[in-house]
Amino acid sequence: MTSAASRRSLLWPTVGAAVAFAILCGLGTWQVQRLHWKEALIARVEARLEAPPVPAPGPDEWPTLDITDREYQPVTVSGTFNELNEIYVVYTLTEPKGPKGGIGYMVMTPLTTADGWIVYVNRGFVPRENRYPNQRPGGSIAGETTVTGLLRAPHGHSWFVGDAVSDNSWFSRDPKLYAEAMGLPPAKVAPYIVDAVFDPDLPGGLPQGGETVVSFPNNHLGYAITWYGLAAALVGVYGVFAWRRLKGTGGDGGDAPQA
């Protein structure tokens, strides 16, 4: 193979390597950008958790409410619990902050405010044997009460399970679906959930509030290093390939100098 032919034979491998290199570098840069975004998000949430609670957003705010931007904001809301329309979300509490843990439920209880609108409150965790109100003595709160907790955005179910099963065991955390299932007026149900803080004065301690998990996996630096490392490896492999291809020029005797 002549020198010119060898160089021509490198055209498409070079194009392919250049495209792959650009893609790998682009993915690495995207992960760096995601890293900065995640670090800023964590900083905002940590600062928000330390802020004093504010009144939970009412119906006037719902049309323009950016729930994602307000998530984990401490809020307060007053009203009356309706245990007849409770929702039970299947949950495994692996690292409890309170004394109870394991397989059980998060109890979502609608709270009706004096103004007539409703917000589902995640009152906390209960083991399977304490699912219903009559199975947790002292856990019911009669009359008007004030709840302090964290504002949470709705979350759907995993792709391989449905929203709920027949015995009111749910896998999603969506107040709109809860309202439909319980026959509550959807327009009066808040588009968010309030995760109640732990109530040390609740007889029996159930539901066990304060179990909100505030965790943001941040593996973007590792991903960025991986993509940039693959780009560097590609350069090395291509360099060896091209060197061998060019070094072999004349090896078949075509234009090689004769002894």
Side-chain angles (χ1 to χ4, degrees):
M1 182 182 295
T2 66
S3 177
S6 295
R7 288 194 293 271
R8 285 195 299 271
S9 71
L10 287 175
L11 174 61
W12 290 114
T14 300
V15 171
V19 171
F21 179 79
I23 292 174
L24 292 171
C25 287
L27 290 171
T29 300
W30 176 62
Q31 288 297 334
V32 170
Q33 294 170 346
R34 293 281 295 172
L35 172 65
H36 294 326
W37 170 82
K38 184 64 69 67
E39 289 176 340
L41 172 64
I42 293 172
R44 287 198 307 272
V45 170
E46 288 178 346
R48 192 177 299 155
L49 290 171
E50 299 299 324
V54 299
D60 292 343
E61 298 181 65
W62 296 348
T64 58
L65 180 64
D66 186 343
I67 301 176
T68 302
D69 186 61
R70 297 276 296 272
E71 190 161 24
Y72 299 107
Q73 180 179 44
V75 297
T76 60
V77 60
S78 298
T80 305
F81 281 123
N82 178 4
E83 293 179 341
L84 294 178
N85 289 326
E86 281 186 343
I87 294 290
Y88 306 105
V89 177
V90 178
Y91 194 80
T92 301
L93 187 58
T94 56
E95 297 181 2
K97 300 172 186 175
K100 301 292 185 179
I103 301 174
Y105 303 91
M106 286 294 183
V107 178
M108 307 286 176
T109 309
L111 181 142
T112 303
T113 68
D115 294 329
W117 57 275
I118 302 167
V119 57
Y120 266 92
V121 175
N122 176 8
R123 295 193 61 201
F125 175 81
V126 293
R128 287 179 293 185
E129 62 271 18
N130 302 111
R131 172 177 177 174
Y132 300 108
N134 61 1
Q135 296 174 321
R136 32 187 157 93
S140 297
I141 298 178
E144 184 166 342
T145 186
T146 298
V147 174
T148 300
L150 301 178
L151 189 148
R152 299 296 310 279
H155 293 280
H157 58 80
S158 301
W159 66 270
F160 53 87
V161 297
D163 293 308
V165 294
S166 57
D167 65 344
N168 197 23
S169 296
W170 289 70
F171 298 98
S172 64
R173 303 187 185 193
D174 190 333
K176 289 185 178 180
L177 296 178
Y178 298 168
E180 293 175 2
M182 294 299 168
L184 301 178
K188 291 188 176 183
V189 178
Y192 56 83
I193 290 172
V194 174
D195 280 5
V197 299
F198 177 71
D199 183 358
D201 298 323
L202 188 66
L206 294 176
Q208 182 174 286
E211 294 294 345
T212 303
V213 176
V214 184
S215 176
F216 300 94
N218 189 6
N219 302 313
H220 300 295
L221 179 59
Y223 295 150
I225 292 173
T226 298
W227 290 122
Y228 286 138
L230 289 173
L234 174 63
V235 171
V237 170
Y238 175 77
V240 172
F241 166 79
W243 177 74
R244 288 181 175 177
R245 176 66 62 90
L246 294 174
K247 182 181 177 182
T249 299
D252 59 0
D255 291 333
Q258 299 298 316

